[in-house]
Amino acid sequence: MDAVQMSRKNWMNIIILGFGFMMLFSAFQTSAFVQAITIRSFLSPECANISHGDIVDGGIKISEGFANRIGYISLCIIYLMVAIANWLSVSVVAVAGAKLSLIVSGALYVVYIAALIRPYVPVVFIGAFILGTGGGVLWTAQGQILIQNSSKKRMPTTSGIFWFMLQLSLVFGNLFFFLLLFFREKSHGEESEPCIPHEDNYIIFAVLACMGIVGVASMLFITPVQRKPATSDVVQRGLNNSEEKALLSEGTQDWSLAWSGGNRPVFAQAIVNAFRLLFTREMFLLSLTFIYTGYELNFWSGVYGALIGNTQSFHYYSVGLAGLFVGLGEILGGGLFGILGGYTNRYGRDPVVLLGMLTHLTTFLLVFYNFPSRAISDQVPAALSFGYLFDPSNIYLGILCAFLLGFGDSLFNTQIYSLIGVLYPTDDRSAPAMALFKFFQSLAAMVGFLTSAFIHLQWQLLILTILAVVGTLSFTAVEWKHYKRSDPLPPKMITN
């Protein structure tokens, strides 16, 4: 069955792509999840035992409040640059090729992670700028390679496999963080320290940087495949099956020499395609879903780890444990509704997204009741670590919420990848569609990290709730329209 749908080379590329992202994002996602508390531990006056005054780092005066927010600011810079770079990423991928774009942009992630080994503030911000510039290109190249190696029928399965392997990164990276701090704390007694020691910071990010290097190196083994022509190339020429197969084998990877529309270079055409796609009804509606996934990405990938780390009734190793359970939720959701999407999506993608919305709304309510509102950006003493219902805050409930956040996120993202692959299956539409997805997602994540530094938890949860409902409704509208368009007429209505 699989041999009929795609070649062994296609399957190997999917596995290599997933492994490369698994290793690279074991490094990056763990860094993002814990960096708010590791940077604070390294740079805050309290951790430096300075009772009065500020620390000066790289000519920048660092107060306690600023130290608590440096992690958010750097992530805000990253996602702002990812959003901007997305408009150029289509052209970069078109000219340089998806594989080269993937490798170079992946290396920029390693540069940022290495900058966190000793978080020198100007270097962290510059590293965030560099990573964000490459991030837009990375995801556009990833999306194109994934779609090039997938058939329309198998897109739910291939996107699920990739998503499953990607989310293993949350397990491996956070498991390492958890075990390191857990055994260190047990060896020094049961009492939790207010700050993570500098030597642990060195170990954490040096190991994560090495994991990122392994991920980038593995991408060298992705082999080129013949690109699909635009659907119009086949339809307008009226080709039969054998001619269509010949046309499919004529695709070239030399994008820098390709021309489209007779007189427009392909890199310019890629930008034009992205803007044309942006103003279609389907993409406008999907953009609302993309925005929600970006805002909740900010919440589970950066804010939630800080919530646990800033609640001083919890141990610091609980941050790694929460990240691990986010990953387990992502894996379960990706497995059920991605890899097994051909079975679980029998009634469409919209019921899966609806389940994701209900999961997240339940989680937001539990988070509201469990965590102190100030813990989103400030340290909360153990004596004040209580939510609106639970006093004190309950770590077991916090871990459950982490799992539900990951589970709900996987439901949204696997269905988005699947729908994009079906709606935009050819190179001239897949790369622009993925670029727009990452643009709206990254822009929303940037806004989320920026607001997290200044507003309390309850207002973040209110924004997330509104966006979840709107994003689900817009996705459902696109899915229903696609279903009606692709659903054949019942047999009794077919006439000769």
Side-chain angles (χ1 to χ4, degrees):
M1 178 180 66
D2 292 339
V4 175
Q5 298 298 328
M6 61 177 60
S7 68
R8 182 176 299 177
K9 180 191 292 185
N10 296 139
W11 278 114
M12 284 302 301
N13 283 342
I14 294 293
I15 299 301
I16 293 171
L17 181 69
F19 177 80
F21 270 69
M22 179 183 71
M23 295 303 295
L24 180 60
F25 280 83
S26 286
F28 174 68
Q29 292 197 132
T30 304
S31 299
F33 200 78
V34 306
Q35 72 176 53
I37 61 170
T38 58
I39 292 176
R40 175 197 171 272
S41 294
F42 210 103
L43 297 176
S44 77
E46 178 184 339
C47 293
N49 295 319
I50 298 176
S51 56
H52 299 286
D54 302 326
I55 289 179
V56 177
D57 187 75
I60 299 176
K61 186 178 292 187
I62 301 176
S63 64
E64 187 67 29
F66 183 47
N68 288 332
R69 291 163 173 80
I70 292 174
Y72 287 155
I73 295 172
S74 65
L75 289 168
C76 179
I77 294 171
I78 288 173
Y79 285 102
L80 172 63
M81 293 311 302
V82 169
I84 295 173
N86 261 291
W87 291 110
L88 302 175
S89 66
V90 178
S91 299
V92 172
V93 173
V95 174
K99 179 179 176 179
L100 180 60
S101 301
L102 200 68
I103 294 169
V104 174
S105 56
L108 299 182
Y109 275 71
V110 179
V111 171
Y112 175 73
I113 296 164
L116 296 175
I117 295 174
R118 194 297 182 193
Y120 188 63
V121 176
V123 175
V124 170
F125 289 161
I126 293 171
F129 178 87
I130 293 173
L131 185 157
T133 303
V137 177
L138 182 85
W139 284 103
T140 300
Q142 172 270 331
Q144 186 158 322
I145 290 175
L146 182 67
I147 292 173
Q148 284 177 338
N149 286 276
S150 304
S151 66
K152 180 177 179 180
K153 183 178 181 181
R154 293 299 168 188
M155 179 55 67
T157 301
T158 54
S159 62
I161 290 173
F162 174 80
W163 192 254
F164 176 84
M165 298 185 71
L166 174 62
Q167 299 315 319
L168 284 174
S169 63
L170 281 165
V171 174
F172 295 142
N174 284 290
L175 180 61
F176 160 69
F177 182 88
F178 165 72
L179 292 175
L180 178 67
L181 295 189
F182 177 81
F183 285 111
R184 184 194 181 282
E185 186 168 313
K186 294 304 179 183
S187 66
H188 289 76
E190 290 292 328
E191 185 175 353
S192 178
E193 296 185 9
C195 303
I196 297 174
H198 289 189
E199 56 268 24
D200 286 352
N201 195 86
Y202 300 144
I203 295 172
I204 290 167
F205 290 104
V207 171
L208 293 178
C210 291
M211 295 174 73
I213 292 172
V214 171
V216 174
S218 68
M219 297 174 189
L220 292 169
F221 296 96
I222 294 175
T223 56
V225 296
Q226 304 300 331
R227 66 184 179 91
K228 299 176 185 178
T231 304
S232 58
D233 292 343
V234 176
V235 175
Q236 290 178 5
R237 299 183 197 184
L239 302 179
N240 60 34
N241 288 340
S242 61
E243 291 172 323
E244 181 178 341
K245 290 178 182 178
L247 180 59
L248 287 170
S249 66
E250 291 174 358
T252 176
Q253 295 299 310
D254 190 7
W255 288 94
S256 61
L257 300 178
W259 290 76
S260 175
N263 58 0
R264 180 180 289 130
V266 76
F267 69 85
Q269 183 65 38
I271 292 291
V272 172
N273 288 344
F275 273 97
R276 285 176 177 171
L277 211 57
L278 177 62
F279 291 103
T280 61
R281 181 177 181 272
E282 288 86 355
M283 185 55 68
F284 172 77
L285 290 172
L286 284 177
S287 68
L288 300 177
T289 312
F290 301 162
I291 288 171
Y292 171 65
T293 64
Y295 210 90
E296 59 99 6
L297 168 67
N298 126 82
F299 189 76
W300 72 255
S301 69
V303 172
Y304 198 71
L307 272 177
I308 293 178
N310 286 335
T311 304
Q312 292 187 352
S313 61
F314 300 155
H315 298 274
Y316 273 123
Y317 61 71
S318 299
V319 177
L321 191 61
L324 189 154
F325 272 85
V326 170
L328 293 177
E330 295 276 8
I331 291 167
L332 179 62
L336 288 177
F337 300 101
I339 297 176
L340 301 178
Y343 301 98
T344 55
N345 289 10
R346 186 171 302 173
Y347 300 102
R349 300 172 186 86
D350 47 303
V352 180
V353 170
L354 178 62
L355 176 61
M357 182 197 73
L358 295 175
T359 300
H360 274 175
L361 294 183
T362 302
T363 307
F364 299 153
L365 185 63
L366 294 175
V367 170
F368 173 75
Y369 282 131
N370 192 42
F371 285 94
S373 62
R374 292 192 300 110
I376 194 170
S377 58
D378 294 299
Q379 287 281 301
V380 178
L384 300 177
S385 296
F386 54 86
Y388 286 89
L389 185 62
F390 297 95
D391 183 6
S393 299
N394 189 298
I395 186 58
Y396 299 106
L397 183 59
I399 298 301
L400 173 63
C401 289
F403 176 83
L404 294 176
L405 284 172
F407 182 75
D409 179 72
S410 70
L411 302 193
F412 275 95
N413 280 279
T414 54
Q415 302 316 300
I416 287 173
Y417 273 107
S418 177
L419 186 57
I420 288 178
V422 170
L423 291 178
Y424 313 108
T426 57
D427 282 347
D428 62 330
R429 291 168 68 81
S430 65
M434 289 303 302
L436 289 169
F437 172 33
K438 300 312 294 185
F439 169 75
F440 284 110
Q441 188 180 62
S442 301
L443 193 65
M446 181 273 294
V447 173
F449 282 116
L450 183 63
T451 56
S452 296
F454 300 103
I455 66 175
H456 285 175
L457 176 62
Q458 64 268 30
W459 302 115
Q460 282 283 35
L461 296 175
L462 177 61
I463 295 171
L464 283 164
T465 298
I466 294 172
L467 292 178
V469 175
V470 173
T472 300
L473 292 175
S474 62
F475 183 94
T476 300
V478 176
E479 170 71 5
W480 284 1
K481 182 178 180 181
H482 169 70
Y483 177 79
K484 290 178 180 178
R485 187 168 52 207
S486 60
D487 190 36
L489 292 173
K492 65 180 181 180
M493 297 183 66
I494 298 178
T495 58
N496 294 326

